[in-house]
Short mmCIF file of all heavy atoms in Angstrom, two decimals:
data_model
loop_
_atom_site.label_atom_id
_atom_site.label_comp_id
_atom_site.label_asym_id
_atom_site.label_seq_id
_atom_site.Cartn_x
_atom_site.Cartn_y
_atom_site.Cartn_z
N MET R 789 -48.53 -133.08 -94.23
CA MET R 789 -48.18 -133.42 -92.88
C MET R 789 -47.45 -134.77 -92.92
O MET R 789 -47.84 -135.65 -93.63
CB MET R 789 -49.44 -133.58 -92.10
CG MET R 789 -49.61 -132.99 -90.73
SD MET R 789 -48.52 -131.89 -89.97
CE MET R 789 -48.95 -130.34 -90.70
N ASN R 790 -46.42 -134.89 -92.12
CA ASN R 790 -45.78 -136.18 -91.99
C ASN R 790 -45.68 -136.58 -90.53
O ASN R 790 -45.93 -135.76 -89.61
CB ASN R 790 -44.42 -136.18 -92.67
CG ASN R 790 -43.49 -135.16 -92.09
OD1 ASN R 790 -43.69 -134.67 -91.00
ND2 ASN R 790 -42.44 -134.86 -92.84
N TRP R 791 -45.31 -137.84 -90.28
CA TRP R 791 -45.28 -138.34 -88.93
C TRP R 791 -44.26 -137.63 -88.05
O TRP R 791 -44.46 -137.47 -86.87
CB TRP R 791 -45.00 -139.85 -88.96
CG TRP R 791 -46.25 -140.60 -89.35
CD1 TRP R 791 -46.45 -141.21 -90.55
CD2 TRP R 791 -47.41 -140.83 -88.58
NE1 TRP R 791 -47.68 -141.78 -90.55
CE2 TRP R 791 -48.29 -141.56 -89.35
CE3 TRP R 791 -47.79 -140.46 -87.30
CZ2 TRP R 791 -49.54 -141.94 -88.89
CZ3 TRP R 791 -49.03 -140.83 -86.82
CH2 TRP R 791 -49.89 -141.57 -87.60
N ALA R 792 -43.11 -137.24 -88.64
CA ALA R 792 -42.09 -136.59 -87.86
C ALA R 792 -42.59 -135.29 -87.26
O ALA R 792 -42.32 -134.97 -86.06
CB ALA R 792 -40.87 -136.31 -88.72
N ALA R 793 -43.32 -134.48 -88.04
CA ALA R 793 -43.86 -133.23 -87.54
C ALA R 793 -44.88 -133.46 -86.41
O ALA R 793 -44.88 -132.79 -85.40
CB ALA R 793 -44.50 -132.43 -88.66
N ILE R 794 -45.73 -134.45 -86.60
CA ILE R 794 -46.75 -134.73 -85.62
C ILE R 794 -46.11 -135.21 -84.31
O ILE R 794 -46.48 -134.77 -83.22
CB ILE R 794 -47.73 -135.80 -86.16
CG1 ILE R 794 -48.54 -135.21 -87.32
CG2 ILE R 794 -48.64 -136.32 -85.07
CD1 ILE R 794 -49.38 -136.22 -88.03
N ILE R 795 -45.10 -136.05 -84.42
CA ILE R 795 -44.44 -136.56 -83.21
C ILE R 795 -43.67 -135.46 -82.51
O ILE R 795 -43.71 -135.36 -81.28
CB ILE R 795 -43.52 -137.74 -83.59
CG1 ILE R 795 -44.36 -138.95 -84.00
CG2 ILE R 795 -42.59 -138.11 -82.45
CD1 ILE R 795 -43.60 -140.08 -84.62
N LEU R 796 -43.00 -134.61 -83.26
CA LEU R 796 -42.26 -133.52 -82.64
C LEU R 796 -43.17 -132.55 -81.89
O LEU R 796 -42.86 -132.10 -80.79
CB LEU R 796 -41.42 -132.77 -83.69
CG LEU R 796 -40.15 -133.53 -84.16
CD1 LEU R 796 -39.54 -132.76 -85.29
CD2 LEU R 796 -39.18 -133.72 -83.03
N VAL R 797 -44.28 -132.18 -82.52
CA VAL R 797 -45.23 -131.27 -81.87
C VAL R 797 -45.82 -131.93 -80.62
O VAL R 797 -45.95 -131.27 -79.56
CB VAL R 797 -46.32 -130.83 -82.82
CG1 VAL R 797 -47.43 -130.07 -82.11
CG2 VAL R 797 -45.74 -129.97 -83.93
N GLY R 798 -46.14 -133.20 -80.71
CA GLY R 798 -46.69 -133.91 -79.53
C GLY R 798 -45.71 -133.99 -78.41
O GLY R 798 -46.04 -133.77 -77.23
N ILE R 799 -44.43 -134.29 -78.73
CA ILE R 799 -43.41 -134.37 -77.68
C ILE R 799 -43.19 -132.97 -77.08
O ILE R 799 -43.05 -132.87 -75.85
CB ILE R 799 -42.11 -134.95 -78.24
CG1 ILE R 799 -42.31 -136.42 -78.55
CG2 ILE R 799 -40.96 -134.74 -77.30
CD1 ILE R 799 -41.18 -137.08 -79.28
N PHE R 800 -43.14 -131.94 -77.89
CA PHE R 800 -42.97 -130.59 -77.38
C PHE R 800 -44.15 -130.20 -76.46
O PHE R 800 -43.91 -129.62 -75.41
CB PHE R 800 -42.85 -129.59 -78.52
CG PHE R 800 -42.65 -128.18 -78.02
CD1 PHE R 800 -41.44 -127.79 -77.52
CD2 PHE R 800 -43.70 -127.29 -78.07
CE1 PHE R 800 -41.26 -126.47 -77.05
CE2 PHE R 800 -43.55 -125.99 -77.61
CZ PHE R 800 -42.31 -125.59 -77.12
N GLY R 801 -45.35 -130.52 -76.83
CA GLY R 801 -46.50 -130.23 -76.01
C GLY R 801 -46.44 -130.96 -74.68
O GLY R 801 -46.70 -130.41 -73.60
N LEU R 802 -46.04 -132.22 -74.69
CA LEU R 802 -45.93 -133.00 -73.48
C LEU R 802 -44.80 -132.47 -72.60
O LEU R 802 -44.97 -132.37 -71.38
CB LEU R 802 -45.65 -134.49 -73.85
CG LEU R 802 -45.72 -135.49 -72.72
CD1 LEU R 802 -47.11 -135.48 -72.12
CD2 LEU R 802 -45.39 -136.84 -73.24
N MET R 803 -43.68 -132.11 -73.18
CA MET R 803 -42.58 -131.53 -72.42
C MET R 803 -42.96 -130.17 -71.83
O MET R 803 -42.55 -129.87 -70.69
CB MET R 803 -41.34 -131.42 -73.26
CG MET R 803 -40.68 -132.73 -73.53
SD MET R 803 -39.23 -132.64 -74.61
CE MET R 803 -38.28 -131.37 -73.84
N CYS R 804 -43.70 -129.41 -72.59
CA CYS R 804 -44.15 -128.09 -72.09
C CYS R 804 -44.99 -128.23 -70.86
O CYS R 804 -44.78 -127.56 -69.85
CB CYS R 804 -44.93 -127.38 -73.19
SG CYS R 804 -45.44 -125.71 -72.80
N VAL R 805 -45.92 -129.18 -70.84
CA VAL R 805 -46.76 -129.42 -69.68
C VAL R 805 -45.91 -129.96 -68.54
O VAL R 805 -46.06 -129.54 -67.39
CB VAL R 805 -47.96 -130.39 -70.03
CG1 VAL R 805 -48.66 -130.82 -68.79
CG2 VAL R 805 -48.87 -129.74 -71.03
N GLY R 806 -44.98 -130.87 -68.83
CA GLY R 806 -44.19 -131.44 -67.77
C GLY R 806 -43.27 -130.46 -67.10
O GLY R 806 -43.11 -130.44 -65.88
N VAL R 807 -42.68 -129.55 -67.89
CA VAL R 807 -41.80 -128.53 -67.33
C VAL R 807 -42.61 -127.58 -66.46
O VAL R 807 -42.17 -127.19 -65.37
CB VAL R 807 -41.05 -127.81 -68.45
CG1 VAL R 807 -40.39 -126.54 -67.91
CG2 VAL R 807 -40.03 -128.70 -69.10
N VAL R 808 -43.76 -127.20 -66.90
CA VAL R 808 -44.58 -126.27 -66.13
C VAL R 808 -45.03 -126.90 -64.84
O VAL R 808 -44.97 -126.25 -63.76
CB VAL R 808 -45.83 -125.83 -66.97
CG1 VAL R 808 -46.81 -125.10 -66.10
CG2 VAL R 808 -45.40 -124.96 -68.11
N ILE R 809 -45.37 -128.15 -64.85
CA ILE R 809 -45.89 -128.78 -63.63
C ILE R 809 -44.74 -129.06 -62.61
O ILE R 809 -44.89 -128.81 -61.44
CB ILE R 809 -46.65 -130.10 -63.98
CG1 ILE R 809 -47.95 -129.79 -64.68
CG2 ILE R 809 -46.88 -130.94 -62.70
CD1 ILE R 809 -48.70 -130.96 -65.19
N TYR R 810 -43.62 -129.53 -63.10
CA TYR R 810 -42.56 -129.97 -62.18
C TYR R 810 -41.46 -128.95 -61.95
O TYR R 810 -40.85 -128.95 -60.87
CB TYR R 810 -41.96 -131.27 -62.69
CG TYR R 810 -42.92 -132.40 -62.63
CD1 TYR R 810 -43.41 -132.98 -63.77
CD2 TYR R 810 -43.36 -132.90 -61.41
CE1 TYR R 810 -44.34 -134.01 -63.73
CE2 TYR R 810 -44.29 -133.92 -61.34
CZ TYR R 810 -44.75 -134.49 -62.51
OH TYR R 810 -45.64 -135.48 -62.46
N ALA R 811 -41.13 -128.13 -62.90
CA ALA R 811 -39.94 -127.29 -62.78
C ALA R 811 -40.20 -125.82 -62.61
O ALA R 811 -39.34 -125.09 -62.07
CB ALA R 811 -39.01 -127.53 -63.99
N ASP R 812 -41.33 -125.36 -63.05
CA ASP R 812 -41.56 -123.91 -63.03
C ASP R 812 -42.19 -123.50 -61.69
O ASP R 812 -43.38 -123.70 -61.46
CB ASP R 812 -42.49 -123.52 -64.17
CG ASP R 812 -42.62 -122.01 -64.33
OD1 ASP R 812 -41.82 -121.31 -63.69
OD2 ASP R 812 -43.47 -121.58 -65.10
N GLU R 813 -41.34 -123.01 -60.80
CA GLU R 813 -41.80 -122.62 -59.47
C GLU R 813 -42.00 -121.12 -59.29
O GLU R 813 -42.61 -120.68 -58.32
CB GLU R 813 -40.84 -123.12 -58.40
CG GLU R 813 -40.68 -124.61 -58.41
CD GLU R 813 -39.63 -125.04 -57.43
OE1 GLU R 813 -38.94 -124.18 -56.86
OE2 GLU R 813 -39.44 -126.26 -57.27
N PHE R 814 -41.44 -120.30 -60.23
CA PHE R 814 -41.40 -118.89 -60.01
C PHE R 814 -42.38 -118.08 -60.83
O PHE R 814 -42.46 -116.87 -60.65
CB PHE R 814 -39.97 -118.37 -60.28
CG PHE R 814 -38.96 -119.10 -59.42
CD1 PHE R 814 -38.08 -119.98 -59.99
CD2 PHE R 814 -38.94 -118.88 -58.05
CE1 PHE R 814 -37.16 -120.65 -59.17
CE2 PHE R 814 -38.02 -119.53 -57.25
CZ PHE R 814 -37.12 -120.41 -57.83
N SER R 815 -43.13 -118.71 -61.72
CA SER R 815 -44.10 -117.97 -62.54
C SER R 815 -45.38 -117.70 -61.78
O SER R 815 -45.71 -118.40 -60.82
CB SER R 815 -44.43 -118.76 -63.82
OG SER R 815 -43.29 -118.86 -64.65
N ALA R 816 -46.09 -116.71 -62.27
CA ALA R 816 -47.41 -116.41 -61.68
C ALA R 816 -48.38 -117.60 -61.97
O ALA R 816 -48.22 -118.26 -63.00
CB ALA R 816 -47.94 -115.12 -62.25
N PRO R 817 -49.36 -117.79 -61.09
CA PRO R 817 -50.29 -118.89 -61.33
C PRO R 817 -51.03 -118.82 -62.66
O PRO R 817 -51.24 -119.82 -63.34
CB PRO R 817 -51.28 -118.80 -60.16
CG PRO R 817 -50.51 -118.10 -59.09
CD PRO R 817 -49.57 -117.18 -59.79
N TRP R 818 -51.39 -117.59 -63.05
CA TRP R 818 -52.14 -117.48 -64.35
C TRP R 818 -51.19 -117.83 -65.50
O TRP R 818 -51.67 -118.36 -66.53
CB TRP R 818 -52.69 -116.09 -64.52
CG TRP R 818 -51.66 -115.01 -64.63
CD1 TRP R 818 -51.14 -114.25 -63.63
CD2 TRP R 818 -51.04 -114.55 -65.85
NE1 TRP R 818 -50.20 -113.39 -64.13
CE2 TRP R 818 -50.13 -113.55 -65.49
CE3 TRP R 818 -51.17 -114.90 -67.20
CZ2 TRP R 818 -49.35 -112.89 -66.42
CZ3 TRP R 818 -50.38 -114.26 -68.11
CH2 TRP R 818 -49.48 -113.26 -67.73
N MET R 819 -49.93 -117.54 -65.37
CA MET R 819 -48.99 -117.91 -66.46
C MET R 819 -48.77 -119.42 -66.53
O MET R 819 -48.65 -120.00 -67.64
CB MET R 819 -47.63 -117.18 -66.23
CG MET R 819 -46.69 -117.30 -67.36
SD MET R 819 -47.41 -116.50 -68.79
CE MET R 819 -46.15 -116.78 -69.96
N ARG R 820 -48.72 -120.07 -65.42
CA ARG R 820 -48.60 -121.53 -65.41
C ARG R 820 -49.83 -122.17 -66.06
O ARG R 820 -49.70 -123.12 -66.83
CB ARG R 820 -48.42 -122.04 -63.97
CG ARG R 820 -47.10 -121.63 -63.41
CD ARG R 820 -46.93 -122.12 -62.02
NE ARG R 820 -46.66 -123.56 -62.07
CZ ARG R 820 -46.49 -124.31 -60.97
NH1 ARG R 820 -46.53 -123.75 -59.80
NH2 ARG R 820 -46.25 -125.61 -61.12
N ILE R 821 -51.01 -121.64 -65.77
CA ILE R 821 -52.24 -122.14 -66.36
C ILE R 821 -52.22 -121.96 -67.88
O ILE R 821 -52.55 -122.86 -68.64
CB ILE R 821 -53.47 -121.50 -65.72
CG1 ILE R 821 -53.60 -121.95 -64.28
CG2 ILE R 821 -54.73 -121.82 -66.51
CD1 ILE R 821 -54.66 -121.21 -63.48
N ALA R 822 -51.77 -120.77 -68.30
CA ALA R 822 -51.68 -120.50 -69.75
C ALA R 822 -50.70 -121.46 -70.46
O ALA R 822 -50.97 -121.93 -71.55
CB ALA R 822 -51.28 -119.06 -69.99
N GLN R 823 -49.58 -121.75 -69.78
CA GLN R 823 -48.61 -122.66 -70.38
C GLN R 823 -49.13 -124.09 -70.45
O GLN R 823 -48.89 -124.79 -71.42
CB GLN R 823 -47.30 -122.62 -69.54
CG GLN R 823 -46.56 -121.31 -69.69
CD GLN R 823 -45.38 -121.21 -68.77
OE1 GLN R 823 -45.38 -121.83 -67.68
NE2 GLN R 823 -44.38 -120.42 -69.12
N VAL R 824 -49.86 -124.54 -69.45
CA VAL R 824 -50.43 -125.87 -69.47
C VAL R 824 -51.47 -125.94 -70.55
O VAL R 824 -51.55 -126.93 -71.30
CB VAL R 824 -51.02 -126.24 -68.10
CG1 VAL R 824 -51.89 -127.48 -68.20
CG2 VAL R 824 -49.92 -126.44 -67.09
N VAL R 825 -52.31 -124.92 -70.70
CA VAL R 825 -53.34 -124.93 -71.76
C VAL R 825 -52.66 -124.96 -73.14
O VAL R 825 -53.09 -125.72 -74.02
CB VAL R 825 -54.25 -123.67 -71.64
CG1 VAL R 825 -55.09 -123.48 -72.87
CG2 VAL R 825 -55.10 -123.82 -70.40
N PHE R 826 -51.56 -124.23 -73.33
CA PHE R 826 -50.84 -124.22 -74.57
C PHE R 826 -50.26 -125.61 -74.86
O PHE R 826 -50.36 -126.13 -75.97
CB PHE R 826 -49.74 -123.18 -74.57
CG PHE R 826 -48.91 -123.16 -75.83
CD1 PHE R 826 -49.48 -122.74 -77.02
CD2 PHE R 826 -47.60 -123.56 -75.82
CE1 PHE R 826 -48.73 -122.71 -78.19
CE2 PHE R 826 -46.83 -123.54 -76.96
CZ PHE R 826 -47.40 -123.11 -78.14
N GLY R 827 -49.68 -126.24 -73.87
CA GLY R 827 -49.11 -127.58 -74.00
C GLY R 827 -50.21 -128.59 -74.34
O GLY R 827 -50.01 -129.46 -75.22
N LEU R 828 -51.34 -128.50 -73.70
CA LEU R 828 -52.42 -129.42 -73.99
C LEU R 828 -53.00 -129.18 -75.37
O LEU R 828 -53.44 -130.13 -76.07
CB LEU R 828 -53.50 -129.33 -72.92
CG LEU R 828 -53.13 -129.81 -71.54
CD1 LEU R 828 -54.22 -129.58 -70.53
CD2 LEU R 828 -52.74 -131.32 -71.59
N LEU R 829 -53.02 -127.93 -75.80
CA LEU R 829 -53.47 -127.59 -77.12
C LEU R 829 -52.56 -128.25 -78.20
O LEU R 829 -53.05 -128.87 -79.15
CB LEU R 829 -53.50 -126.09 -77.31
CG LEU R 829 -53.99 -125.57 -78.68
CD1 LEU R 829 -55.49 -125.71 -78.76
CD2 LEU R 829 -53.58 -124.14 -78.86
N LEU R 830 -51.24 -128.14 -77.99
CA LEU R 830 -50.32 -128.79 -78.92
C LEU R 830 -50.46 -130.30 -78.93
O LEU R 830 -50.45 -130.96 -79.95
CB LEU R 830 -48.89 -128.41 -78.53
CG LEU R 830 -48.47 -126.98 -78.82
CD1 LEU R 830 -47.04 -126.74 -78.32
CD2 LEU R 830 -48.54 -126.66 -80.28
N LEU R 831 -50.64 -130.86 -77.72
CA LEU R 831 -50.79 -132.31 -77.60
C LEU R 831 -52.07 -132.78 -78.28
O LEU R 831 -52.09 -133.77 -78.99
CB LEU R 831 -50.79 -132.70 -76.13
CG LEU R 831 -50.60 -134.17 -75.79
CD1 LEU R 831 -49.33 -134.68 -76.37
CD2 LEU R 831 -50.62 -134.34 -74.29
N GLY R 832 -53.15 -132.05 -78.10
CA GLY R 832 -54.43 -132.38 -78.75
C GLY R 832 -54.35 -132.28 -80.25
O GLY R 832 -54.90 -133.08 -80.97
N TRP R 833 -53.63 -131.25 -80.75
CA TRP R 833 -53.46 -131.10 -82.19
C TRP R 833 -52.74 -132.29 -82.77
O TRP R 833 -53.12 -132.82 -83.80
CB TRP R 833 -52.70 -129.80 -82.49
CG TRP R 833 -52.42 -129.61 -83.92
CD1 TRP R 833 -53.24 -128.99 -84.81
CD2 TRP R 833 -51.27 -130.06 -84.69
NE1 TRP R 833 -52.69 -129.01 -86.08
CE2 TRP R 833 -51.45 -129.64 -85.99
CE3 TRP R 833 -50.13 -130.73 -84.36
CZ2 TRP R 833 -50.53 -129.92 -87.00
CZ3 TRP R 833 -49.21 -131.00 -85.34
CH2 TRP R 833 -49.42 -130.60 -86.65
N SER R 834 -51.66 -132.72 -82.09
CA SER R 834 -50.90 -133.84 -82.60
C SER R 834 -51.71 -135.14 -82.59
O SER R 834 -51.64 -135.94 -83.53
CB SER R 834 -49.58 -134.00 -81.84
OG SER R 834 -49.84 -134.40 -80.51
N VAL R 835 -52.51 -135.35 -81.58
CA VAL R 835 -53.38 -136.53 -81.53
C VAL R 835 -54.40 -136.49 -82.64
O VAL R 835 -54.65 -137.50 -83.33
CB VAL R 835 -54.03 -136.68 -80.15
CG1 VAL R 835 -55.13 -137.73 -80.17
CG2 VAL R 835 -52.98 -137.00 -79.09
N GLN R 836 -55.00 -135.32 -82.85
CA GLN R 836 -55.99 -135.18 -83.89
C GLN R 836 -55.39 -135.46 -85.29
O GLN R 836 -55.98 -136.17 -86.08
CB GLN R 836 -56.58 -133.76 -83.86
CG GLN R 836 -57.57 -133.48 -84.95
CD GLN R 836 -57.97 -132.01 -85.00
OE1 GLN R 836 -57.44 -131.21 -84.26
NE2 GLN R 836 -58.94 -131.68 -85.82
N LYS R 837 -54.21 -134.92 -85.55
CA LYS R 837 -53.55 -135.15 -86.85
C LYS R 837 -53.12 -136.59 -87.02
O LYS R 837 -53.19 -137.13 -88.11
CB LYS R 837 -52.32 -134.22 -87.01
CG LYS R 837 -52.72 -132.74 -87.15
CD LYS R 837 -53.54 -132.55 -88.38
CE LYS R 837 -53.92 -131.13 -88.51
NZ LYS R 837 -54.74 -130.81 -89.68
N ALA R 838 -52.68 -137.24 -85.94
CA ALA R 838 -52.31 -138.65 -86.00
C ALA R 838 -53.53 -139.51 -86.34
O ALA R 838 -53.41 -140.40 -87.19
CB ALA R 838 -51.65 -139.09 -84.68
N ILE R 839 -54.63 -139.23 -85.71
CA ILE R 839 -55.86 -139.98 -86.00
C ILE R 839 -56.28 -139.77 -87.46
O ILE R 839 -56.66 -140.68 -88.17
CB ILE R 839 -56.98 -139.60 -85.03
CG1 ILE R 839 -56.63 -140.13 -83.65
CG2 ILE R 839 -58.34 -140.12 -85.48
CD1 ILE R 839 -57.55 -139.66 -82.55
N ALA R 840 -56.18 -138.52 -87.94
CA ALA R 840 -56.56 -138.21 -89.27
C ALA R 840 -55.60 -138.95 -90.27
O ALA R 840 -56.09 -139.45 -91.31
CB ALA R 840 -56.51 -136.71 -89.53
N MET R 841 -54.35 -139.04 -89.96
CA MET R 841 -53.45 -139.74 -90.88
C MET R 841 -53.69 -141.26 -90.85
O MET R 841 -53.60 -141.92 -91.86
CB MET R 841 -51.99 -139.42 -90.49
CG MET R 841 -51.59 -138.05 -90.96
SD MET R 841 -49.82 -137.79 -90.84
CE MET R 841 -49.18 -138.85 -92.12
N ILE R 842 -54.01 -141.79 -89.69
CA ILE R 842 -54.33 -143.23 -89.61
C ILE R 842 -55.56 -143.56 -90.44
O ILE R 842 -55.62 -144.56 -91.11
CB ILE R 842 -54.46 -143.65 -88.16
CG1 ILE R 842 -53.11 -143.63 -87.46
CG2 ILE R 842 -55.06 -145.05 -88.03
CD1 ILE R 842 -53.17 -143.81 -85.96
N LEU R 843 -56.58 -142.69 -90.32
CA LEU R 843 -57.81 -142.94 -91.05
C LEU R 843 -57.73 -142.50 -92.52
O LEU R 843 -58.64 -142.77 -93.28
CB LEU R 843 -58.96 -142.18 -90.38
CG LEU R 843 -59.29 -142.63 -88.93
CD1 LEU R 843 -60.39 -141.80 -88.36
CD2 LEU R 843 -59.68 -144.11 -88.95
N GLY R 844 -56.65 -141.87 -92.90
CA GLY R 844 -56.44 -141.47 -94.28
C GLY R 844 -57.20 -140.26 -94.72
O GLY R 844 -57.57 -140.12 -95.88
N LYS R 845 -57.44 -139.32 -93.81
CA LYS R 845 -58.19 -138.11 -94.16
C LYS R 845 -57.34 -136.92 -94.44
O LYS R 845 -57.81 -135.82 -94.61
CB LYS R 845 -59.16 -137.80 -93.01
CG LYS R 845 -60.23 -138.82 -92.86
CD LYS R 845 -61.23 -138.43 -91.79
CE LYS R 845 -62.34 -139.48 -91.68
NZ LYS R 845 -63.28 -139.12 -90.69
N VAL R 846 -56.02 -137.11 -94.47
CA VAL R 846 -55.12 -135.98 -94.73
C VAL R 846 -54.55 -136.13 -96.12
O VAL R 846 -54.19 -137.15 -96.59
CB VAL R 846 -53.99 -135.95 -93.68
CG1 VAL R 846 -52.96 -134.88 -94.08
CG2 VAL R 846 -54.58 -135.62 -92.34
#
């Protein structure tokens, strides 16, 4: 794992949540919830990997 991959996944997760919240007006409510959960999952993964790299566990 390198920092570029972690940053790209984190940015994509953040953008995914932002687009769903602000721009997606036509999707079904359950689909918006699924997209937010997916974005938060990606964001959480990137934070977890960043912490692991800082602590030297990777």
Side-chain angles (χ1 to χ4, degrees):
M789 225 10 81
N790 60 17
W791 284 106
I794 292 171
I795 291 170
L796 285 174
V797 170
I799 290 172
F800 180 75
L802 190 61
M803 286 177 51
C804 183
V805 171
V807 166
V808 168
I809 290 174
Y810 293 111
D812 189 12
E813 298 175 355
F814 303 110
S815 293
W818 66 269
M819 189 62 180
R820 292 180 74 180
I821 291 171
Q823 290 172 334
V824 168
V825 168
F826 178 68
L828 292 176
L829 181 75
L830 289 176
L831 195 58
W833 179 88
S834 65
V835 168
Q836 177 188 6
K837 291 297 179 179
I839 291 171
M841 283 190 70
I842 290 170
L843 296 177
K845 294 183 178 181
V846 172

